[in-house]
Amino acid sequence: MAENHHEYPRMLGALLRIPFQAIVTKIEAGLRARGYTDLRPAHFVVFQHIRPEGSRITELAERAQMTKQSMSELVHYVEAKGYLEREPDPRDHRASIVRLSMKGEAVNNAAREIIRQVEEEWSNQIGREQMNALKQGLMAIIRVIEVENSNQ
Amino acid sequence: MAENHHEYPRMLGALLRIPFQAIVTKIEAGLRARGYTDLRPAHFVVFQHIRPEGSRITELAERAQMTKQSMSELVHYVEAKGYLEREPDPRDHRASIVRLSMKGEAVNNAAREIIRQVEEEWSNQIGREQMNALKQGLMAIIRVIEVENSNQ
DNA sequence: ACTATTTAGTCAGTTAATCTGACTATATTC
DNA sequence: GAATATAGTCAGATTAACTGACTAAATAGT
């Protein structure tokens, strides 16, 4: 809200939003170009939050800040398209563990590759030094956010 | 996708996403706390893109990268709640101009204030210097994005 | 000048994304 | 072992966004 506009200086919200949106758009387009046409932006959260050893649905829901019912649906869809595998959790028979399938790993790598390319392009334009400063700043803020969240 | 995780270094996508999400969450909570309970995140785009002199619906739709039908609905809702005023465009009788009402300006200012506070808090944590470097870097990237978009 | 085309916006209907509430089955606590 | 909490699903509702068809006004072409 009220974050933008060429005329007066942009607020931090818009400063973060515009590059983030741009990168999301590029990931979408890049995945489509590579033939992954059955994944929509909503499904990205599954890939964003799943751990390499696999995650529970409840855990994914929590990390993505949505209800477990909604996450359950997303996982179902993504699993049905072959990007996920699911197995019962041996320690807790109520739960199941979802992890990326080989196809899932492949999209994930494709997405990483796209992001890497975008970073490189931007880095070429603004300079490696400024890009590094930017990343350091973002990491510092993320650490602050994580502290806030942990002792909320 | 594949942007996160404590274990290995985060990708640029996650570096941008996490602070952006955090700020959106804070804006939501802050507006709710100030009594603006009828605005949902979807409506924020209207405020983000409207120009001080007012904007057309088609223009807002374009800037928000959505269809004019969808934007039309959002504008309707936000207008019905009293945040917007609408008047016919004297230059083009097909179009109308929407602009913020006094109530609309008030939420906008509230949102700006919330963002300013978040920036200040973060700045206190990471240091004014690093915050400035971060903002400079984001602005530089936004300039790159704007050039890309203009000669796409 | 008038016909054809484009543009601004709405109406109607659909799909996608997310929510709430109720439920089953398994775990945990006391 | 009974009471309570947790993981996940099912069903239904709401919200967000889309496509297609349309009206009215503006612009372009001849």
Side-chain angles (χ1 to χ4, degrees):
Chain A
M1 215 116 199
E3 302 162 18
N4 68 343
H5 281 300
H6 321 289
E7 300 85 20
Y8 24 80
R10 287 190 171 95
M11 305 215 63
L12 187 57
L15 291 178
L16 291 165
R17 189 185 80 237
I18 295 169
F20 173 64
Q21 298 276 40
I23 214 166
V24 170
T25 303
K26 280 164 187 289
I27 295 171
E28 273 187 73
L31 291 184
R32 231 180 300 117
R34 282 159 219 232
Y36 300 108
T37 53
D38 51 7
L39 290 175
R40 290 185 295 276
H43 306 126
F44 291 5
V45 293
V46 177
F47 295 85
Q48 277 157 11
H49 295 290
I50 202 167
R51 282 182 293 121
E53 334 83 73
S55 299
R56 293 187 178 178
I57 289 183
T58 308
E59 180 198 340
L60 292 175
E62 216 167 276
R63 309 231 269 163
Q65 308 203 71
M66 67 195 318
T67 62
K68 55 187 183 170
Q69 292 95 320
S70 301
M71 181 53 77
S72 188
E73 245 185 53
L74 294 179
V75 164
H76 246 89
Y77 179 92
V78 177
E79 184 191 7
K81 296 296 180 182
Y83 297 100
L84 293 180
E85 283 162 3
R86 186 192 291 242
E87 65 177 49
D89 185 337
R91 291 146 205 239
D92 187 339
H93 288 192
R94 294 167 304 178
S96 49
I97 309 277
V98 282
R99 66 167 55 81
L100 293 179
S101 66
M102 273 172 59
K103 190 178 170 193
E105 293 285 1
V107 225
N108 217 25
N109 290 335
R112 295 174 74 91
E113 181 53 31
I114 292 163
I115 295 167
R116 241 189 309 270
Q117 276 175 27
V118 172
E119 179 177 335
E120 198 188 321
E121 280 162 28
W122 287 351
S123 200
N124 286 341
Q125 296 292 318
I126 72 172
R128 170 62 45 199
E129 205 182 319
Q130 191 164 32
M131 178 57 89
N132 280 336
L134 172 62
K135 286 166 70 178
Q136 290 301 322
L138 292 171
M139 283 189 264
I141 283 182
I142 288 171
R143 281 190 291 272
V144 173
I145 292 168
E146 282 172 348
V147 172
E148 276 177 24
N149 288 346
S150 65
N151 44 265
Q152 93 335 18
Chain B
M1 220 108 199
E3 300 161 20
N4 67 343
H5 280 302
H6 322 289
E7 300 85 20
Y8 23 83
R10 289 190 169 93
M11 305 215 61
L12 187 58
L15 292 179
L16 290 166
R17 189 186 80 238
I18 295 169
F20 173 63
Q21 298 277 40
I23 215 165
V24 169
T25 302
K26 280 165 188 287
I27 295 170
E28 272 186 73
L31 291 184
R32 231 179 303 116
R34 283 160 219 231
Y36 300 108
T37 52
D38 51 7
L39 289 176
R40 288 185 296 276
H43 306 124
F44 291 5
V45 292
V46 177
F47 295 85
Q48 276 155 12
H49 294 290
I50 201 166
R51 282 183 291 122
E53 333 86 72
S55 299
R56 292 186 179 182
I57 288 183
T58 308
E59 181 198 340
L60 293 175
E62 216 167 276
R63 308 230 270 163
Q65 308 204 70
M66 66 195 317
T67 62
K68 55 187 182 169
Q69 292 95 322
S70 301
M71 182 53 77
S72 189
E73 244 183 56
L74 294 179
V75 164
H76 246 88
Y77 178 92
V78 178
E79 185 191 6
K81 297 296 180 181
Y83 298 100
L84 293 180
E85 282 162 3
R86 187 192 291 243
E87 66 176 48
D89 185 337
R91 289 143 208 243
D92 186 338
H93 289 194
R94 295 167 303 177
S96 48
I97 308 278
V98 281
R99 65 167 56 80
L100 294 178
S101 65
M102 272 171 60
K103 190 178 170 193
E105 293 286 359
V107 224
N108 217 26
N109 290 336
R112 295 174 74 91
E113 182 51 31
I114 292 163
I115 295 168
R116 241 188 309 270
Q117 276 176 24
V118 172
E119 179 178 334
E120 198 188 322
E121 280 162 27
W122 287 350
S123 200
N124 286 341
Q125 296 293 318
I126 72 172
R128 172 60 48 200
E129 206 182 318
Q130 191 164 31
M131 178 58 90
N132 280 337
L134 172 62
K135 285 166 72 179
Q136 290 301 321
L138 292 170
M139 283 188 263
I141 284 182
I142 289 171
R143 281 190 292 273
V144 172
I145 292 168
E146 281 172 348
V147 172
E148 275 176 25
N149 288 345
S150 65
N151 45 266
Q152 101 319 32

